[in-house]
Amino acid sequence: MPTFTDAAQTLKEHIDSIALTDHHVHGVIRENPTPESFAHMITESDRTPRSISEAFDTQVGFAVRRWCAPQLGMDAHVSADEYFTRRLELGSDTVNRTLLKAAGIGRYLLETGLAGEEIHGLTGMAGLTGAHIDEVIRLETLAQSHAETSGASASDFIESSREILRARTIGAVGLKSIAAYRIGLDFDPTRPSKQEVVQALGPWFKEIEQNQIARLMDPVLIRHVIWEGIDLGLPIQFHIGYGDPDLNLHKCDPLLMTELIRMTEKLNVPIMLLHNYPYQRNAGYLAQMFRNVFLDVGLAINYTGARAPAIIAESLELAPFHKILFSSDAWGLPELTYLGTKLFRNGLREVLGVWVDKGEWSLNDALRVSTMIGSENALTAYSLNK
Ligand SMILES: [Zn+2]
């Protein structure tokens, strides 16, 4: 029978050594950030803080100074200005490589819908990390870029976009929808009729004709692309909860999707509820009720910093342990990738350590569940060969 100290040490070593599978993550920036772009990337808000120091006066900012600074050769808790200055001196390639290596992610499920020239894509991330990189395709982005740039017309969009989706998903491991951002999650869960889709395509293509671009915002068309995705049977990630100021948070509660979850459960399509904060308990409920629901608390872990263990503990209340996945949801800054893993490892150790200490959980169960959440659950849920 190990003593508590031995158990805590064993748990720490085990959790720190897991090669994580990050089931929802994005690329990192290629070049050094400006103070403004850095400040924007360490908050979900697009309202510019007055200074780098102000941008760092948050849980995530404190966590960067605490955990990322030592990885880059600085003292823990170095000032925000010193951190930023030193980071620029080191240069983005060194910072990227150092922090991504320290993250210890063995497999990235990279969502490429929020790409852009400034962000490393699949090949760039593979080169930087040496890890296995899989792609997750964002449904709304693919449909919109097809409508805007392929020369498709309203009359051939249904067929041509279906072909494009099928072609693009060869080799992809999952799909993603940002319906929460565009229309809220209280949308009609049923599949729109062909006639409804054709009617909605007219005004959208007219807008594209006039402006070359037109955001996919029509609820009928968003439901259409989601159902086209469901047809493929791949896991579909949904943005849930906390995000940038584009969304109305009260419409991002996963309970609003209950009927769509019922429908997709019958079709055996996995629904991956991303982030979930502050609705992680609701997501846990859905994961317990429905066979096809999985969840993570990525993003929330980074932005709640020292409070992340509380969020991790809540994610472990109702959700069956094989339904909980690890994600960093990092975008742009490698600090966010590293922190996503560091705060996850620390938080999981803290939460499970207390349960083992109290005799509620055995050490072996804590070790087993850590591996499941850190990697195995994602490999199973996305049917990835191990
Ligand atoms: Zn994301």
Side-chain angles (χ1 to χ4, degrees), residues 24-26 111 114 138 176 237 239 274-275 299 329-331:
H24 177 64
V25 58
H26 309 270
E111 199 247 286
L114 242 183
R138 188 183 288 200
K176 154 111 187 261
Q237 305 176 341
H239 176 99
L274 304 179
H275 332 310
L299 192 72
D329 191 26
W331 190 91

Side-chain angles (χ1 to χ4, degrees), residues 243-264:
D244 69 40
D246 263 8
L247 59 73
N248 294 318
L249 187 55
H250 69 289
K251 288 192 172 189
C252 297
D253 183 335
L255 297 180
L256 295 167
M257 285 177 58
T258 305
E259 200 49 47
L260 184 70
I261 288 169
R262 277 198 190 100
M263 292 174 173
T264 48

